[in-house]
Amino acid sequence: MKIASIMTKAFVSVSLDDTLLTIKNIFEHANFHHLLVVDNKQLSGVISDRDLLKALSPNIGTAAELPRDTATLNKKAHQILNRKLVTLTPNANVFDAIDIFNQTKTSCIPIVDENSIPVGILTWRDIMKTLGDKNAERRN
């Protein structure tokens, strides 16, 4: 099975200079856990919701919040993104993705074309959903 048939094509991207406030707002209003960071249409990195939580002060939104805590919201995407990327192309096999998930600590794989332009994103959940759907079809 090819990655193109199970990847999520509707992904959200941010630029290198978007603030953590912008990224925080995206995560708060969307139902996903990864943002692709793009520069000149090419993939530069990935930011997960966990990366964001690590970068923000835990005092934001609490009675203990100080100006230095709020200042963490002004950091830029390029300061926290993960640049150590493992990518696949849409023509890769789903077993290639499974191998990556099993051998690394990554929770998503950006799917790029031959010019490193993102065309989708794949998570282990996408694979599990596809396997679950196939199993349900087989039982019916």
Side-chain angles (χ1 to χ4, degrees):
M1 177 183 314
K2 298 291 182 191
I3 295 294
S5 67
I6 64 171
M7 70 182 189
T8 301
K9 294 176 180 115
F11 60 90
V12 175
S13 65
V14 295
S15 73
L16 291 169
D17 290 325
D18 279 331
T19 65
L20 297 194
L21 176 60
T22 299
I23 293 166
K24 180 178 179 287
N25 288 334
I26 291 170
F27 280 133
E28 285 176 353
H29 295 98
N31 188 25
F32 50 82
H33 305 281
H34 303 90
L35 292 173
L36 301 183
V37 183
V38 176
D39 183 37
N40 293 323
K41 297 184 181 180
Q42 292 188 317
L43 182 66
S44 292
V46 174
I47 296 176
S48 72
D49 53 358
R50 291 177 304 218
D51 296 328
L52 178 65
L53 286 174
K54 287 184 221 172
L56 293 178
S57 168
N59 294 330
I60 292 176
T62 70
E65 182 178 300
L66 297 172
R68 70 173 179 250
D69 300 313
T70 309
T72 62
L73 292 168
N74 294 325
K75 287 183 182 177
K76 305 292 184 180
H78 67 86
Q79 294 176 282
I80 71 163
L81 64 82
N82 178 1
R83 294 180 190 270
K84 296 178 184 173
L85 300 176
V86 178
T87 62
L88 289 172
T89 64
N91 291 324
N93 191 292
V94 70
F95 293 108
D96 297 327
I98 291 170
D99 286 343
I100 290 169
F101 287 128
N102 285 335
Q103 295 172 14
T104 67
K105 292 182 179 182
T106 189
S107 55
C108 80
I109 302 171
I111 310 303
V112 296
D113 68 11
E114 61 278 351
N115 297 314
S116 293
I117 296 173
V119 295
I121 190 168
L122 183 74
T123 66
W124 62 269
R125 283 189 168 101
D126 295 324
I127 294 171
M128 296 301 287
K129 181 182 180 320
T130 300
L131 291 174
D133 290 349
K134 296 254 184 235
N135 189 43
E137 288 172 12
R138 195 180 79 219
R139 283 189 271 154
N140 290 334

